[in-house]
Amino acid sequence: LTIAMNVLQEFLNSPRPIQRFAAVRALSTIVHKFNNILSPSCTVDLEHLITDGNRNIATLAITTLLQTTAEYSIERLLSSITEFMAEIADELKIVLITAIERVCEKFPKKFECLLNFLSMALREEGGYVYKNKIVDCMLLLMTSSLALRAKEFGLDSLCEFIEDCEYPTLSVRILYLIGELGPSTPQPSRYIRFIFNR
């Protein structure tokens, strides 16, 4: 497997987009089965592909990096993809949010930076399916994290979002979540205003 990994790493630096895409796709599949197989130099090469002009290659590189990321590098990786998210179509954004969802399951203790990223993504432009996927991801963190702060931070972000939400179905879902999760917070009365404003 080492020889194959070395060849794939060489293809990551190829001037031909099809070779870069094939290499990232193969690495993504391998990483899905063998999580800790990437060498540090291969990880660096994948990080360079985040700025690739071909958005499919960049998206696949990011999802591969998210699959193999260590807890200490989550914040750095999220900050490097923030700008990228604004430049891609909703279909690719959903792929990234799905990868971030796996990171949320893997590292619930990193709820602050993950919820921060997700709440910023929720404020950006995007369709209903994309926004709904973000809410799913936030809910996963709010319910799986042991910290009560995750629930409060997530609810605050969702309350802020429904003030200008353009999707009535999503607003109703978030209002339901506020009603479901709000009473178990230390100050449930602070969410009443958001419910009555809708």
Side-chain angles (χ1 to χ4, degrees), residues 55 59 83-94 96:
R55 294 302 174 206
T59 303
E83 283 182 34
F84 176 76
M85 291 284 282
E87 301 171 3
I88 58 175
D90 276 5
E91 294 80 22
L92 295 176
K93 289 179 184 179
I94 292 169
L96 287 178

Side-chain angles (χ1 to χ4, degrees), residues 1-184:
L1 199 57
T2 306
I3 296 169
M5 293 297 289
N6 290 338
V7 171
L8 290 172
Q9 186 174 351
E10 286 178 31
F11 281 165
L12 289 177
N13 298 311
S14 171
R16 298 180 63 201
I18 191 71
Q19 287 180 332
R20 290 193 309 271
F21 181 78
V24 175
R25 177 91 187 231
L27 284 172
S28 180
T29 304
I30 292 169
V31 163
H32 192 67
K33 292 182 181 173
F34 307 102
N35 201 9
N36 296 323
I37 199 163
L38 287 184
S39 66
S41 61
C42 190
T43 302
V44 169
D45 288 341
L46 279 170
E47 286 179 3
H48 289 308
L49 290 178
I50 292 174
T51 57
D52 195 283
N54 184 323
R55 294 302 174 206
N56 291 321
I57 293 172
T59 303
L60 209 47
I62 292 168
T63 58
T64 304
L65 287 167
L66 286 170
Q67 286 179 30
T68 61
T69 191
E71 191 169 3
Y72 64 86
S73 63
I74 292 172
E75 291 176 50
R76 182 179 51 82
L77 188 56
L78 290 177
S79 67
S80 68
I81 64 174
T82 302
E83 283 182 34
F84 176 76
M85 291 284 282
E87 301 171 3
I88 58 175
D90 276 5
E91 294 80 22
L92 295 176
K93 289 179 184 179
I94 292 169
V95 170
L96 287 178
I97 296 299
T98 303
I100 290 170
E101 194 170 33
R102 284 189 225 111
V103 172
C104 293
E105 291 169 350
K106 196 173 174 183
F107 304 112
K109 290 180 184 175
K110 297 299 277 185
F111 71 87
E112 273 189 61
C113 69
L114 289 164
L115 282 173
N116 242 346
F117 177 82
L118 292 168
S119 65
M120 285 192 309
L122 199 55
R123 285 184 239 128
E124 299 296 324
E125 291 295 317
Y128 171 78
V129 176
Y130 168 61
K131 301 280 184 166
N132 198 42
K133 187 67 176 171
I134 294 172
V135 172
D136 287 343
C137 196
M138 291 177 81
L139 183 61
L140 175 74
L141 271 175
M142 290 163 44
T143 55
S144 70
S145 181
L146 299 174
L148 182 61
R149 179 72 189 117
K151 187 183 296 183
E152 289 178 9
F153 185 82
L155 285 173
D156 290 345
S157 297
L158 292 174
C159 286
E160 184 181 317
F161 172 68
I162 61 169
E163 291 294 318
D164 297 320
C165 182
E166 58 196 83
Y167 305 106
T169 309
L170 195 54
S171 291
V172 169
R173 179 176 181 217
I174 292 171
L175 286 170
Y176 174 80
L177 291 174
I178 293 168
E180 187 81 15
L181 300 174
S184 63

